[in-house]
Amino acid sequence: MPLVTTKEMFEKSMKEHFAIGAFNVNNMEIIQGIVDAAAKENSPVILQASSGAIKYARIPYLTKMVEAALEEHDIPVALHLDHGPDFETCKMCIDNGFTSVMIDGSKYDFEENVALTKQVVDYAHAHGVVVEAELGKLAGIEDDVNVAEGDAMYTDPEQAREFVERTGCDSLAIAIGTSHGAYKFKGEAKLRFDILAKIKELIPNTPIVLHGASTVIPELVEMCNTYGGDIPGAKGVPDEMLHEASVSGVSKINVDTDLRLAMTGAIRKVFNEDPSAFDPRKYLTPARDLVEETVAHKIRDVFGSSNKA
Ligand code: G3H
Ligand code: 13P
Ligand code: ZN
């Protein structure tokens, strides 16, 4: 099956109350781990690359590896630009066969965000590509995402309605308490499900996206730390909350940190247990396997997208 947009998978997710995992990709092993899991679970899946990932892997490699995955598996796969920083990056991805792009205008004020998003929507829709936009600010630090905790801001539901109306974006990322990276909560995890409910009430037909939604799986953190890592006090969104989000109107759940932890934990384990190892296949095979296991767990036990392909 050729690459698809997220249109049909989101329609199904809203009708049948489940979420689709959007997993960040940087290399072949991560792509294979994700699509192998999704195919075994007979689930739709979104592969997303950030501009940092595109700089690292280079666009022809990313698109061709995803093409190869589609030759092997017959499930709906969308290729999405994660956190597109500007119009030019979105255009480059659209021109290179991505089926979905995110324009992240959340760093701008409302009017600038509307104008930039609208510009991307016009170009994307003319090329059969869908657009995710963001309103509200998540805390966290990644390559191209850098928001201090004090500057984080929940999404305003009334503004969300106006934003979607004026931009024509196809899906909306909202801020309800998640954040990027491995340190999401200092105390108890807390998400504002009341804001999500209000947003769904006002824009029931707009698929909602949750960024910063890794669980920061304790077993993976422990694996990293046991084998020489130093990631103290890491904490994410518990599976139960992500499940609640999946059945409460969130259509797309973004996961990067958990895959980074899986890759790193598996590789650290090999090096720690066998310091003489230097064949990349020896450490990348268990890393790929652990990515697959992690993704399968999320699809099957948390997001509920098994057998929704
Ligand atoms: O939300 C950001 C993603 O985790 C991508 O991170 O920009 O470091 O590739 P990155
Ligand atoms: P995590 O850091 O929680 O995995 O979030 C990833 C993300 O939102 C990618 O856009
Ligand atoms: Zn994100």
Side-chain angles (χ1 to χ4, degrees), residues 48 82-83 102 134 138 145 180 211-212 254:
Q48 57 186 12
D82 188 30
H83 292 284
M102 174 189 192
E134 178 166 334
L138 274 70
V145 184
H180 291 105
H211 281 247
N254 284 12

Side-chain angles (χ1 to χ4, degrees), residues 24 50 52-53 82-83 142-145 180 256 260:
N24 284 74
S50 67
D82 188 30
H83 292 284
E142 303 292 322
D143 279 1
D144 289 302
V145 184
H180 291 105
D256 188 357
R260 295 177 178 193

Side-chain angles (χ1 to χ4, degrees), residues 22 24 48 82-83 102 132 138 142 145 178-182 184 210-216 237 252 254-260:
N24 284 74
Q48 57 186 12
D82 188 30
H83 292 284
M102 174 189 192
E132 173 185 326
L138 274 70
E142 303 292 322
V145 184
T178 59
S179 61
H180 291 105
K184 301 188 191 300
L210 207 55
H211 281 247
S214 276
T215 309
V216 190
V237 187
K252 173 175 180 272
N254 284 12
V255 176
D256 188 357
T257 297
D258 279 334
L259 304 189
R260 295 177 178 193

